[in-house]
Amino acid sequence: MKKSFVFLCSVALLTVGVTTASAVPVHAAGNDTEITDTTDSLAVSNKTGYIYFRHGEGVLSAYKDPELKIFGPEVIHFAERYMTNQAVAAYDQIATNTKTNQVVAYHIPDGWVGLDSWTAEDPNQYTAGTDWGVLTVGKKAQQLYTDPKLTTPANRTLAAGTRWRYTASETIHYKYTDVATDYAYQVGTNLWLPVTAVSNANSYQRGVLITDRGVVEITNRSGAVMYDSLMSSTAKPSSRKLAYGSKWQYPGVYVSRGGTVLGYQVATGLFVKAADAKIVQQRGVFTVNAQGETKVIDGNGNATNRVLPNGSRWRTVGVRYGAETMLYQIAPNLYVNARAGSWTPTK
């Protein structure tokens, strides 16, 4: 019954647009002000936006009426665009004091709430970042925004599953939980994508260089440009290109924290991007020499039930790299961590 009452009331108000409530004592509270009572009438109108829970945790009661007299259910909201670090609720109506023009209550999905526990001002801090890389949009199309705080929708969306380069990031620092995390990525001029819409982001700045020795073949028919770094958006390209089809030894592989190979070191202080080259897989023998169990890992990076005996030797047919890890392939879709032993190449 409670949900039906709130729903019907909301529909009626949305149909009318602006409704004036009778002159009864109501609670009026602004940001950081004490609750007071007044007999001024209220005007209810349609307006959308967000309000933020002051304390970041706990529960409170919503009301069934804009005068905040009739208690409803306990409620606390975590909007998707703010993830779970900040309690925030979307509202679709406001109640305004007709004499002072002060907003005294907001209508959220569970009912009406006043500003004694909520604030209409975003309490969080936003910081522009210098990160850059490649991201993948999640399982549904996503609206873009014209600003890094994601307040103004742009007239454009990105399709699900598509990959895009991003050139900057926005970091949010949550006031009540003291957590800082990525908030949005810039994917074009005045075009920003929420972090919550991203299934994977490969940061060039936040990658890790894994020491190894192998051979790559240049696959870009126009040749592979060499860079002095893959860790900065200001990385300088070399005037020299590596020719298509040529092969080069690499002493290191640059991998994102998400486990994606971003590039290969082909000389001292010089790198080529992974999109321009591929590993020439080399066969060898891996000898298990580790303390404790050495489990076989599947193609998704998960440990299987199979354990390799200490001292056993296994032929390898290739190598792959993950987030700060290197794996040798010992069978179709089966791998062993390089740290569990030693590897010797075979001719």
Side-chain angles (χ1 to χ4, degrees):
M1 292 300 292
K2 291 181 179 179
K3 291 185 178 179
S4 299
F5 177 86
V6 174
F7 177 77
L8 292 174
C9 179
S10 299
V11 170
L13 291 172
L14 285 170
T15 303
V16 174
V18 177
T19 303
T20 301
S22 59
V24 296
V26 299
H27 296 297
N31 287 341
D32 299 318
T33 61
E34 295 182 357
I35 298 176
T36 59
D37 286 336
T38 178
T39 57
D40 296 342
S41 60
L42 299 181
V44 176
S45 57
N46 300 330
K47 186 177 181 180
T48 59
Y50 293 91
I51 53 176
Y52 310 85
F53 190 39
R54 291 175 180 276
H55 311 298
E57 59 183 21
V59 295
L60 70 159
S61 292
Y63 293 81
K64 294 182 178 181
D65 59 327
E67 294 84 9
L68 309 180
K69 293 293 185 180
I70 306 173
F71 281 109
E74 288 187 331
V75 58
I76 188 167
H77 279 267
F78 295 91
E80 181 180 347
R81 76 205 263 297
Y82 286 92
M83 295 166 282
T84 58
N85 291 301
Q86 171 64 48
V88 57
Y91 64 85
D92 58 4
Q93 293 175 314
I94 60 173
T96 307
N97 186 305
T98 56
K99 290 187 177 181
T100 65
N101 203 35
Q102 178 189 26
V103 177
V104 297
Y106 292 84
H107 184 262
I108 64 175
D110 299 81
W112 289 91
V113 294
L115 287 180
D116 52 323
S117 296
W118 298 79
T119 173
E121 301 295 330
D122 191 341
N124 305 303
Q125 295 180 344
Y126 299 82
T127 306
T130 57
D131 189 20
W132 72 298
V134 178
L135 56 81
T136 304
V137 181
K139 295 183 179 180
K140 60 181 180 180
Q142 175 61 46
Q143 171 75 55
L144 292 176
Y145 295 82
T146 62
D147 63 304
K149 290 185 67 176
L150 311 178
T151 60
T152 307
N155 187 26
R156 185 176 174 184
T157 59
L158 297 184
T162 53
R163 301 178 72 241
W164 301 85
R165 293 185 182 275
Y166 69 92
T167 56
S169 64
E170 186 80 358
T171 299
I172 184 172
H173 190 148
Y174 297 100
K175 176 179 179 180
Y176 299 118
T177 60
D178 199 29
V179 172
T181 185
D182 286 344
Y183 179 71
Y185 296 111
Q186 186 175 17
V187 293
T189 303
N190 297 326
L191 292 175
W192 292 82
L193 181 70
V195 166
T196 51
V198 176
S199 63
N200 183 44
N202 293 312
S203 168
Y204 277 53
Q205 186 183 38
R206 303 177 187 178
V208 176
L209 186 64
I210 297 178
T211 300
D212 189 24
R213 185 167 297 278
V215 177
V216 291
E217 180 180 349
I218 305 304
T219 57
N220 188 332
R221 293 185 177 275
S222 299
V225 176
M226 293 187 291
Y227 296 85
D228 63 354
S229 173
L230 292 179
M231 303 183 187
S232 171
S233 58
T234 58
K236 297 178 181 179
S238 169
S239 59
R240 179 188 172 195
K241 283 186 177 182
L242 301 184
Y244 169 70
S246 61
K247 297 179 181 180
W248 302 84
Q249 287 189 342
Y250 62 85
V253 181
Y254 192 62
V255 183
S256 76
R257 290 185 179 180
T260 299
V261 175
L262 302 176
Y264 306 95
Q265 183 178 2
V266 291
T268 302
L270 289 175
F271 299 80
V272 294
K273 293 183 178 180
D276 297 333
K278 69 176 181 179
I279 294 176
V280 178
Q281 298 290 2
Q282 186 175 3
R283 295 179 181 271
V285 175
F286 184 82
T287 303
V288 180
N289 182 20
Q291 296 180 352
E293 283 189 341
T294 299
K295 288 193 172 183
V296 176
I297 301 170
D298 64 22
N300 296 321
N302 301 315
T304 67
N305 293 326
R306 185 174 179 181
V307 177
L308 302 182
N310 197 22
S312 60
R313 292 160 51 91
W314 302 86
R315 290 181 179 177
T316 65
V317 294
V319 64
R320 63 183 289 185
Y321 303 91
E324 301 185 34
T325 61
M326 184 169 64
L327 306 173
Y328 288 106
Q329 185 175 4
I330 58 175
N333 204 42
L334 294 177
Y335 300 83
V336 60
N337 195 311
R339 296 176 181 174
S342 59
W343 180 78
T344 303
T346 55
K347 295 181 180 181

